[in-house]
Amino acid sequence: MTEEINTQSTRNLVAIANQFTQLGQVTSVKAFGSGNINDTFLATLDFSKEQNFVLQRINTQVFRQPQLIMQNMRTFTEHVHKRLQDIPLSRRWEVPRVLLTKDAQDHCKDADGSFWRAISFIEGSQSFDSIGDRSHAKEIGYALGMFHNLISDLPPEKLADTLEGFHITPLYLQHYEGVLAKTSVSESSEVNYCLKFVSDRQVFAHILENAKSEGILPLRLMHGDPKINNVMFDIVTQQAVSVIDLDTVKPGLVHYDIGDCLRSGCNPVGEETENWESIYFDTDLCQEILQGYLAVAKAFLTENDYAYIYDAIRLITFELGLRFFADYLAGNVYFKVKHPEHNLARAIVQFKLTESIESQETQIRKIIQDMK
């Protein structure tokens, strides 16, 4: 996605981008990516070994302590860089680096007080919004497994929890109930479908958090948003080379990541479809993603971890639908929307996907069992 940006704001963007350059000058700044939270741009330099870098304005409505995000990012990217030096890999794998300003800061603020940061761009790579084929799926799983593996020996308490409550399904349920209590809902068949869907599954919302509080599932570091378009592929080899969008890395359960990766990866028609009859969870893709993931993640997973993978896939899909639906009821305050019903439509996609997951529970559990 590249949008025309007016001349004045382009000049401002170039001035901000230039604060992060050590060599050369920024020649252009273009809107980049399709994220729902931060504003992301690609800056291009006239002279440098690395011709591009990513410039971002952090959404401080969502990330209220952006300094902590930068501290986290520096902690775990430095940890991973060190590990990559110690364990030579047989293939390309990169971690985005935090770029510092000319006065050695990891961010800068503009005249409006907006919080800006810059991250290295993974050159010669691309991302996809949906999975092209089965080899792609295995690579997506490998990428998440590699990401988890490289941070599995970093103690979770070394990172601040920058988004308290993020991926804690019972808290989203609580928020939803609060919104529902003070909203006059204009009913329609779509809204009624969503209301019933949530009410039928309330008990199930606690399954992972209960396992965590009982010590059945261990606290680790997780990515927090491992959608398939956050995996970068080498343009030439078509192998996964990086996982990006690292703001949500925090202490949590890897199950939320595994579930989210499968939720976004095994939905061939994508998150924005309005053809709800065509939505299904593709178990062939599920098998490939898990195979890629477990090839690397076997190193740190426990017996209990395997037992909760199915629940994680079902729960995270339900959770995202719940978040979209609550945001729709609240008047679209969190997710960017293109039209007033956008979050309602997005919620239905996730709920239909949840139904497809539930209808294939036996098969999904068998896939997981057979891979142990």
Side-chain angles (χ1 to χ4, degrees):
M1 165 188 108
T2 305
E3 295 165 359
E4 286 304 314
I5 306 164
N6 70 48
T7 326
Q8 181 56 44
S9 67
T10 302
R11 273 203 295 271
N12 294 349
L13 284 168
V14 168
I16 291 160
N18 270 322
Q19 296 200 40
F20 292 95
T21 58
Q22 310 302 328
L23 291 168
Q25 289 292 312
V26 173
T27 53
S28 75
V29 179
K30 292 179 177 150
F32 182 66
S34 56
N36 281 339
I37 308 292
N38 297 323
D39 296 318
T40 304
F41 304 91
L42 189 67
T44 304
L45 292 160
D46 61 356
F47 162 79
S48 175
K49 193 173 64 164
E50 294 182 347
Q51 279 219 291
N52 301 294
F53 66 89
V54 176
L55 179 71
Q56 282 187 313
R57 176 169 40 210
I58 302 282
N59 181 338
T60 49
Q61 292 293 295
V62 174
F63 300 107
R64 295 186 183 275
Q65 296 175 286
Q67 285 86 348
L68 284 182
I69 286 185
M70 298 314 297
Q71 190 183 306
N72 276 0
M73 199 180 277
R74 289 174 75 169
T75 301
F76 74 79
T77 54
E78 283 161 21
H79 174 85
V80 172
H81 280 293
K82 193 173 174 316
R83 271 205 71 185
L84 286 172
Q85 282 161 356
D86 298 343
I87 47 158
L89 292 176
S90 56
R91 50 181 279 185
R92 179 186 175 196
W93 185 260
E94 291 183 37
V95 181
R97 292 186 326 282
V98 174
L99 305 183
L100 301 181
T101 61
K102 290 182 166 67
D103 55 357
Q105 300 301 305
D106 57 25
H107 67 277
C108 72
K109 290 189 176 171
D110 63 15
D112 302 332
S114 293
F115 190 102
W116 292 86
R117 55 102 183 270
I119 319 166
S120 63
F121 177 66
I122 309 292
E123 296 286 353
S125 71
Q126 64 190 130
S127 67
F128 301 97
D129 284 326
S130 59
I131 289 181
D133 58 36
R134 293 178 68 145
S135 65
H136 232 163
K138 193 173 280 180
E139 285 296 309
I140 297 249
Y142 170 87
L144 183 62
M146 183 56 103
F147 181 86
H148 281 165
N149 201 2
L150 288 168
I151 56 173
S152 63
D153 60 340
L154 181 61
E157 58 276 11
K158 291 236 171 130
L159 260 59
D161 189 342
T162 47
L163 276 176
E164 286 191 22
F166 184 60
H167 281 328
I168 309 268
T169 317
L171 292 180
Y172 289 119
L173 193 56
Q174 215 176 319
H175 168 72
Y176 163 79
E177 285 162 353
V179 169
L180 200 55
K182 55 177 193 276
T183 309
S184 54
V185 182
S186 49
E187 294 196 12
S188 65
S189 59
E190 287 87 0
V191 168
N192 289 343
Y193 164 77
C194 291
L195 290 168
K196 182 172 182 339
F197 197 89
V198 175
S199 121
D200 287 349
R201 286 163 185 77
Q202 290 188 337
V203 180
F204 161 70
H206 299 261
I207 190 160
L208 290 187
E209 285 308 303
N210 286 353
K212 183 173 79 181
S213 59
E214 288 162 24
I216 298 168
L217 294 179
L219 189 71
R220 298 190 181 99
L221 288 175
M222 63 178 203
H223 180 280
D225 191 22
K227 298 193 302 285
I228 57 173
N229 59 9
N230 283 335
V231 175
M232 303 304 290
F233 283 80
D234 186 298
I235 287 170
V236 179
T237 65
Q238 285 301 305
Q239 286 186 322
V241 291
S242 189
V243 176
I244 59 162
D245 206 355
L246 306 173
D247 292 332
T248 47
V249 176
K250 60 170 233 156
L253 296 175
V254 292
H255 288 72
Y256 288 119
D257 278 355
I258 300 166
D260 209 13
C261 182
L262 288 159
R263 174 198 68 73
S264 73
C266 303
N267 169 11
V269 296
E271 318 227 322
E272 297 287 333
T273 183
E274 298 210 355
N275 179 10
W276 295 318
E277 301 315 306
S278 67
I279 296 162
Y280 73 102
F281 183 84
D282 187 323
T283 50
D284 289 344
L285 291 177
C286 172
Q287 184 160 5
E288 296 295 328
I289 292 174
L290 274 175
Q291 213 165 357
Y293 178 77
L294 294 172
V296 203
K298 272 198 166 100
F300 63 85
L301 288 180
T302 67
E303 188 65 36
N304 285 340
D305 285 324
Y306 286 97
Y308 280 87
I309 291 176
Y310 166 78
D311 298 309
I313 303 167
R314 179 188 173 204
L315 183 71
I316 201 81
T317 312
F318 168 69
E319 178 191 284
L320 185 59
L322 178 68
R323 291 173 64 199
F324 282 138
F325 186 45
D327 201 34
Y328 165 74
L329 295 174
N332 305 316
V333 290
Y334 184 87
F335 296 104
K336 292 178 184 172
V337 290
K338 297 193 172 116
H339 56 87
E341 307 288 300
H342 196 171
N343 276 326
L344 177 61
R346 285 166 165 162
I348 294 171
V349 171
Q350 297 305 320
F351 290 159
K352 292 287 181 193
L353 193 60
T354 307
E355 284 178 354
S356 177
I357 291 163
E358 291 168 346
S359 72
Q360 301 178 86
E361 175 175 356
T362 311
Q363 194 182 348
I364 297 168
R365 286 192 185 276
K366 186 175 186 315
I367 289 169
I368 297 160
Q369 189 59 36
D370 290 349
M371 277 190 205
K372 279 190 343 203

